[in-house]
Amino acid sequence: EAGARVLLLRACLALLAWPIYLLHLLGLWEPFCRKVFFPYILEKIGAAHEKKSKKHKQDLFRNLPDFKGPSGQLRLLEIGTGSGTNFQFYPEGCRVTCTDINPHFQQSLSKSMKKNQHLHYEQFLVAAAEDLQQVPSGSVDAVVCTLVLCSVQSISGTLREVLRTLCSQGGAFYFLEHVAAEHSSWMYFWQQVCFPTWKLVFAGCCLTRELWKNLEEAKFSELKVKHISLAMPWMPIEPHIVGYGVK
């Protein structure tokens, strides 16, 4: 019965979003979404999410300086940098390499770089999270990934790249991601209802991934995962995980 209700409500939502489905069928939605819609909407939603997550991020990144390399510098790789909302949390003098699969964030990214001149920006690479071959193995002290694992093609492939690029001893991977709700909850019901339309509208974002399981399966020597709630009005992305893993 619950399954039938989910399918009925999915159909209703698809009807409401029929212009997007039509553009998708014509092959016009993806290029428009990547170039115009997603960077714009992510900036708007990102601002609201940033207010809710700011304290959690301050706590999360507080120990970043502990992972500085022997040179005394912190070499940091950010996967899915987007508009650069995390820059404000990185320590003075940190050397940042930015990557994103979508090259259309340049305007808002440039703004963030100008605001955060306490950092050294090494390069911006257009690359998928699962294929960071432009970043040498063992070349960074920390990797950061926030609100990205929901939309990667392969979570295990992404985590393999994280471990490959981290320095051989004691590099750290920091994450903050929205995840699937408790299966018995109304939130999970609505996540299932919204799933297909949400994924189409928001460039492949999946609402029901249990990412803490993938992190537990990855080969981190130490893993700290905390489940938190960030209430976003009218959005089925309240449950989040935040934490870090050490190579």
Side-chain angles (χ1 to χ4, degrees):
E1 192 188 336
R5 284 204 302 269
V6 166
L7 290 174
L8 177 63
L9 288 167
R10 275 183 179 180
C12 294
L13 198 55
L15 277 174
L16 288 171
W18 72 265
I20 293 174
Y21 279 89
L22 178 61
L23 288 171
H24 172 63
L25 284 171
L26 296 171
L28 300 173
W29 174 250
E30 277 75 9
F32 171 75
C33 180
R34 281 167 60 85
K35 191 167 185 177
V36 180
F37 177 79
F38 194 58
Y40 172 79
I41 203 73
L42 198 67
E43 193 173 348
K44 300 302 174 192
I45 294 174
H49 190 277
E50 199 55 45
K51 284 180 187 172
K52 302 275 185 184
S53 63
K54 188 166 186 177
K55 187 180 181 305
H56 294 289
K57 284 188 177 181
Q58 284 170 336
D59 292 342
L60 172 65
F61 294 126
R62 191 164 282 140
N63 70 342
L64 256 176
D66 296 350
F67 294 97
K68 284 179 182 174
S71 66
Q73 288 189 319
L74 181 74
R75 300 161 303 165
L76 186 145
L77 167 68
E78 180 160 4
I79 299 173
T81 306
S83 57
T85 55
N86 291 326
F87 293 163
Q88 60 186 300
F89 304 106
Y90 299 159
E92 182 87 32
C94 178
R95 307 193 78 86
V96 184
T97 296
C98 306
T99 74
D100 206 292
I101 195 170
N102 188 342
H104 301 295
F105 286 103
Q106 290 294 358
Q107 197 175 347
S108 49
L109 185 62
S110 295
K111 275 188 210 166
S112 292
M113 285 175 164
K114 281 175 189 164
K115 271 189 204 168
N116 295 280
Q117 295 192 359
H118 64 292
L119 306 176
H120 298 290
Y121 300 101
E122 301 280 50
Q123 55 185 333
F124 177 82
L125 305 172
V126 178
E130 305 91 335
D131 184 11
L132 298 171
Q133 58 183 334
Q134 297 169 80
V135 183
S137 299
S139 63
V140 296
D141 306 301
V143 177
V144 172
C145 185
T146 61
L147 302 182
V148 172
L149 293 177
C150 57
S151 56
V152 298
Q153 294 288 321
S154 167
I155 303 163
S156 58
T158 300
L159 294 176
R160 273 196 299 274
E161 282 292 77
V162 165
L163 287 163
R164 180 187 67 77
T165 55
L166 281 171
C167 58
S168 56
Q169 288 194 331
F173 171 56
Y174 288 80
F175 54 87
L176 186 149
E177 301 282 346
H178 69 82
V179 292
E182 190 71 43
H183 284 210
S184 59
S185 67
W186 272 109
M187 177 61 72
Y188 186 69
F189 174 80
W190 286 111
Q191 284 180 334
Q192 288 181 297
V193 168
C194 296
F195 187 94
T197 299
W198 183 279
K199 188 176 181 183
L200 178 61
V201 172
F202 293 104
C205 174
C206 297
L207 290 169
T208 55
R209 288 186 171 175
E210 298 177 329
L211 295 170
W212 62 92
K213 293 181 180 177
N214 301 94
L215 288 160
E216 285 162 6
E217 286 164 10
K219 294 183 171 73
F220 291 105
S221 63
E222 180 189 345
L223 180 65
K224 295 188 183 298
V225 181
K226 186 179 178 185
H227 289 255
I228 59 170
S229 288
L230 298 179
M232 298 288 290
W234 305 102
M235 290 194 185
I237 56 168
E238 186 174 318
H240 284 64
I241 55 169
V242 60
Y244 65 94
V246 179
K247 182 171 174 178

